[in-house]
Amino acid sequence: MTLAELIAHRRILICVGSGGVGKTTTAAALGVAAARLGRRTVVLTVDPAQRLKDALGIGTLDGRPRRVPLGRGHHLDAMVLDVKRTFDELVRGLATHPEQAARVLENRLYQNLSSTLAGTAEYMAIESVQRLVDDGRHELLVVDTPPARHAVDFLDAPRRLLALLDSRAFGILKDPTSILPAAGSRIAQLVLGGVLRGLERFTGVTLVREIGEFVGAIEALTAALRARVAETQALLRSDATSLLLVTAPEPRLTTETSALVTALAEVELRLDGVIVNRALPRAEFGPDVVAPPLSVALGTPLERRVRRTFEDLQRLAARERATLAPLLAIARAPIVAEVPLLAAPPAALDELVALGRHLTSPAGATGTEPLRGHGLG
């Protein structure tokens, strides 16, 4: 399936890849292209650069969808992940009544951990995707993930959270005395409880009790949370979602990306396409391409230098293909677009429009579509 077809038929496009390959810019350009093709689109990014916000023409980029000024008839919103706000909204949505939500939201441990606990950001990013789907205002979501291994944590967050909810560790947090054996547990529980209370009085820290209260409050929501997480996990693995690998033909990046692809396969997530940035177009510098005729006479010495330059570019293109070959073999997905290395990343909305047009054109998949202005750095 071509990139244009993925944009036309998918509900969610998720861009994954190493840091420094132009992934965030690619996600933004895909969002622009989708909106210009008539789909109501939103781009969710985890850590946008200031230049990207400027390029989109948005004064403020936060946890709410903000409209990108693409002109009448084109609907594109952009937003950035807000971990704390998303977690709060999730708790309110799962609670059966306001008092139940308040019990969690007002817990001091929840307030401290809801934006700092390891794994929270990854799951809240996925929850943001689910909420945007449920909202129904957008036909397509384009998601920019964290770099490399963190992207696996991001995409595998629902499964890991389900495992945590079902684990014995969750019960131990609520009641530390549950680690004691059944035999003689009555006396042992009294002793352990007394020790814990003594530590709290001695240190002035009520952490043990607060953990129990926090887990107890969360436990009231676990049934609803488990169903919610399972729904999100199914969505990520459905035909409505496609993963696009963004990479560049550089040895360091392809090595990191190969590890990412292997990790994705281990959690049973497939790739539907590869976007190669900063690449010499195959259609222009492939091994079977004949040097184009010169439009003007340059004189023999200069013509020879021009020919040698073209041959050097062909050799460089061959080296790029060799660098990408092991990664593509592991990914088992086609190259759906190639973007050449140009002067600088897009700095204005019209440059994102040009990049999006290049990505979705049939010629863009083979690298023959002209791309003027700025490109990915």
Side-chain angles (χ1 to χ4, degrees):
M1 191 175 285
T2 67
L3 189 52
E5 290 171 334
L6 290 173
I7 288 175
H9 299 294
R10 292 296 189 257
R11 189 74 175 84
I12 303 170
L13 294 179
I14 301 178
C15 296
V16 299
S18 299
V21 296
K23 180 166 47 64
T24 300
T25 302
T26 299
L30 289 174
V32 170
R36 287 177 58 82
L37 290 172
R39 302 205 75 188
R40 297 191 306 276
T41 305
V42 58
V43 176
L44 170 66
T45 182
V46 295
D47 187 21
Q50 178 66 36
R51 60 170 174 74
L52 180 60
K53 184 178 72 172
D54 294 341
L56 289 169
I58 300 176
T60 301
L61 193 59
D62 55 23
R64 293 185 183 276
R66 302 285 181 177
R67 184 61 53 86
V68 176
L70 273 181
R72 189 172 182 178
H74 303 308
H75 185 129
L76 175 63
D77 294 326
M79 61 182 290
V80 65
L81 174 64
D82 185 331
V83 175
K84 180 66 166 63
R85 176 179 173 176
T86 304
F87 208 155
D88 291 351
E89 291 177 349
L90 175 63
V91 169
R92 294 189 185 98
L94 295 177
T96 56
H97 51 79
E99 292 77 15
Q100 188 182 55
R103 186 182 172 204
V104 176
L105 297 174
E106 294 172 5
N107 181 275
R108 189 174 72 171
L109 191 61
Y110 168 82
Q111 293 171 358
N112 289 332
L113 296 182
S114 56
S115 59
T116 59
L117 187 64
T120 302
E122 287 84 359
Y123 182 71
M124 288 307 113
I126 292 296
E127 170 62 20
S128 293
V129 171
Q130 183 69 61
R131 292 178 71 85
L132 288 167
V133 169
D134 294 344
D135 181 76
R137 287 185 294 169
H138 302 95
E139 298 171 306
L140 176 66
L141 284 67
V142 181
V143 184
D144 165 43
T145 63
R149 182 67 204 191
H150 293 293
V152 181
D153 296 336
F154 169 90
L155 294 165
D156 196 37
R159 184 193 63 78
R160 290 185 292 110
L161 185 54
L162 283 173
L164 173 62
L165 293 175
D166 293 331
S167 69
R168 185 165 180 256
F170 193 69
I172 292 173
L173 286 173
K174 182 183 177 184
D175 179 14
T177 63
S178 65
I179 63 175
L180 298 171
S185 62
R186 176 73 177 170
I187 296 176
Q189 286 176 1
L190 290 174
V191 172
L192 180 57
V195 170
L196 294 174
R197 287 192 297 273
L199 285 172
E200 288 184 349
R201 286 195 300 271
F202 179 74
T203 62
V205 176
T206 59
L207 180 61
V208 174
R209 186 173 71 250
E210 289 183 5
I211 290 176
E213 291 174 352
F214 168 65
V215 176
I218 289 290
E219 189 179 41
L221 307 179
T222 52
L225 180 58
R226 188 177 284 107
R228 175 74 168 181
V229 174
E231 179 185 7
T232 304
Q233 185 178 35
L235 176 65
L236 288 178
R237 285 165 167 75
S238 73
D239 290 337
T241 301
S242 281
L243 269 63
L244 295 172
L245 179 66
V246 183
T247 189
E250 302 168 26
R252 176 186 62 83
L253 295 175
T254 53
T255 299
E256 292 177 3
T257 307
S258 295
L260 167 62
V261 171
T262 300
L264 289 172
E266 289 172 353
V267 295
E268 300 179 348
L269 288 168
R270 72 182 190 283
L271 291 166
D272 284 339
V274 180
I275 298 174
V276 182
N277 286 328
R278 305 198 289 267
L280 289 170
R282 290 169 293 168
E284 294 182 22
F285 299 105
D288 299 326
V289 176
V290 178
L294 298 174
S295 57
V296 295
L298 301 178
T300 301
L302 185 54
E303 286 182 5
R304 288 175 179 168
R305 292 181 61 182
V306 170
R307 299 297 180 194
R308 283 198 298 269
T309 300
F310 179 81
E311 292 166 0
D312 288 342
L313 289 172
Q314 280 189 310
R315 282 190 285 270
L316 179 57
R319 188 177 304 168
E320 290 181 348
R321 289 192 299 274
T323 298
L324 287 171
L327 172 61
L328 295 175
I330 297 172
R332 297 181 180 179
I335 294 177
V336 293
E338 291 180 318
V339 181
L341 173 63
L342 298 179
L349 189 54
D350 61 340
E351 294 168 0
L352 279 177
V353 169
L355 178 57
R357 188 184 300 116
H358 172 85
L359 287 168
T360 55
S361 68
T366 57
T368 59
E369 173 75 6
L371 184 60
R372 295 180 173 81
H374 299 278
L376 299 184

